[in-house]
Amino acid sequence: MKYVINDQVVLSRVSEGPLAAYLSSFATSINSQGYCLYSIHRQVRLAAGFSQWLQQEEIDIRCMTTNHAAQYLHDRAKQVKICRGDTAALQHLIDFLRQEGMFPAEKASVRRVTPVERLTQAYTQYLRETQALAEATIHNYVPFIRRFLQDRFADGPVRLSRLCAGDIVYFVQQQAPRLHQKRAKLMTSALRSFLRYVRYRGEVVLDLAAAVPTVANWSMPSIPRAIAPDQVQRLLDSIDRRTAVGRRDYAILLLLARLGLRASEVVFLELEDIDWQTGTLRVRGKGGLCHTFPLTPEVGQAIAVYLKEGRPPSTIR
């Protein structure tokens, strides 16, 4: 026999347990919050299952805690596949029961939540609810972001607008040698994800995700992946910048050495990609994606000198 709640939710049988009497008002509550019909169905059915579980375990509604909800999901996972969002759905039910005075308020922790923890929690929620990432991916990403923020801001205010490419490169250089190749790749993926998130929030203007170094072959230290800083400087010093070719080569090598651009990215640069007012450089990367880099005074001056003194007269920009 089917059981209909509020002319919306159909259960396969009449609900049982200590929460059965509250399912109708719970459905009305989440409906008023603007949830779609599918979400209402799922949340009410999950609440009905939780009510039946409480009855089977002989747990009185006055003795319920959030641990019981977690235990129910654990037991449920042995029979059916847990859907993404089930934990949040049960939390909605608990919040509703608290408002009704049926769910006892648990003692709140007095531990102060630091700004780093607050931002980490918001990022975790973004990954789970907006990006719909798998829990395993979230568990891999979040510790790296927490460590990065703690290293940069400690327990003080988190001022994301103060982040720069150097902070990101330094963190990767410090952490990557301690990690296995796969973990190092996860770390850089997590950083790129987080930096895209804070740009999405509007707290960072530049595309700092593009500044995250690659660690693809760091597990093979016998193969040199880059030349030392003093060798880079000797190479730059060897260029004769009194000639047009020298001014061009110097600008190209600075783009490669200071901004880490690929050769193909340098080739496709155009005048319109340089914003002299804001000191930024737009770069077209793989797949047609565009990234914005900070144009340092050193690199900007080298490009300007080449444009003014190294290019032959032309009517073509």
Side-chain angles (χ1 to χ4, degrees), residues 42 73 82-92 119-143 146 193 197 200:
R42 186 169 60 83
L73 288 178
I82 296 297
C83 296
R84 187 180 290 118
D86 280 357
T87 301
L90 273 187
Q91 186 60 50
H92 293 161
L119 178 56
T120 304
Q121 291 169 2
Y123 173 61
T124 303
Q125 184 178 6
Y126 165 80
L127 294 180
R128 181 174 291 121
E129 298 182 1
T130 304
Q131 296 294 98
L133 294 187
E135 288 297 322
T137 303
I138 296 173
H139 291 322
N140 280 321
Y141 278 14
V142 170
R146 183 182 295 110
S193 168
Y197 164 66
Y200 160 79

Side-chain angles (χ1 to χ4, degrees), residues 3 5 11 13-24 26 42-61 64 68-69 71-73 76 89-90 93-94 97 103:
Y3 180 60
I5 298 177
L11 301 179
R13 60 178 179 175
V14 176
S15 181
E16 302 172 347
L19 306 182
Y22 301 96
L23 295 183
S24 178
F26 176 55
R42 186 169 60 83
Q43 293 193 57
V44 172
R45 288 171 182 167
L46 192 66
F50 184 39
S51 179
Q52 293 169 4
W53 180 86
L54 290 171
Q55 184 179 44
Q56 293 169 3
E57 298 296 319
E58 299 182 349
I59 299 172
D60 188 271
I61 190 172
M64 277 196 311
H68 290 133
Q71 184 60 49
Y72 164 63
L73 288 178
R76 178 181 170 84
L90 273 187
L93 173 65
I94 291 170
L97 293 173
F103 196 98

Side-chain angles (χ1 to χ4, degrees), residues 117-308:
E117 291 173 327
R118 193 175 299 113
L119 178 56
T120 304
Q121 291 169 2
Y123 173 61
T124 303
Q125 184 178 6
Y126 165 80
L127 294 180
R128 181 174 291 121
E129 298 182 1
T130 304
Q131 296 294 98
L133 294 187
E135 288 297 322
T137 303
I138 296 173
H139 291 322
N140 280 321
Y141 278 14
V142 170
F144 287 124
I145 302 309
R146 183 182 295 110
R147 188 176 305 127
F148 169 67
L149 293 172
Q150 287 174 340
D151 285 355
R152 179 60 180 82
F153 301 105
D155 290 332
V158 177
R159 296 187 173 94
L160 295 172
S161 59
R162 295 186 179 181
L163 284 178
C164 64
D167 297 327
I168 299 153
V169 172
Y170 177 78
F171 178 77
V172 174
Q173 288 175 338
Q174 292 296 310
Q175 297 295 323
R178 310 172 188 174
L179 302 173
H180 186 273
Q181 180 187 9
K182 291 184 178 180
R183 292 291 297 169
K185 285 184 177 181
L186 274 173
M187 176 183 64
T188 55
S189 296
L191 282 172
R192 292 188 187 97
S193 168
F194 174 73
L195 292 169
R196 286 192 291 267
Y197 164 66
V198 295
R199 193 183 184 197
Y200 160 79
R201 282 173 41 140
E203 299 184 58
V204 172
V205 177
L206 297 178
D207 182 15
L208 292 177
V212 179
T214 177
V215 294
N217 293 308
W218 286 10
S219 63
M220 303 174 66
S222 61
I223 302 177
R225 301 302 301 172
I227 59 178
D230 60 324
Q231 293 175 316
V232 172
Q233 192 57 51
R234 287 202 299 271
L235 173 61
L236 293 171
D237 292 341
S238 70
I239 298 174
D240 185 2
R241 284 181 275 167
R242 294 172 297 179
T243 67
V245 172
R247 297 185 188 101
R248 180 203 64 188
D249 292 348
Y250 186 72
I252 291 174
L253 287 174
L254 277 182
L255 286 167
L256 297 173
R258 300 293 190 254
L259 300 186
L261 301 189
R262 300 182 180 91
S264 60
E265 293 170 337
V266 176
V267 169
F268 288 109
L269 284 177
E270 299 177 357
L271 288 176
E272 287 73 16
D273 294 327
I274 304 173
D275 190 331
W276 300 104
Q277 297 297 322
T278 61
T280 57
L281 182 70
R282 183 180 61 187
V283 177
R284 285 175 290 277
K286 292 183 177 179
L289 297 177
C290 289
H291 304 288
T292 303
F293 285 80
L295 187 64
T296 64
E298 180 189 24
V299 178
Q301 182 179 11
I303 294 175
V305 169
Y306 166 61
L307 292 175
K308 292 191 295 184

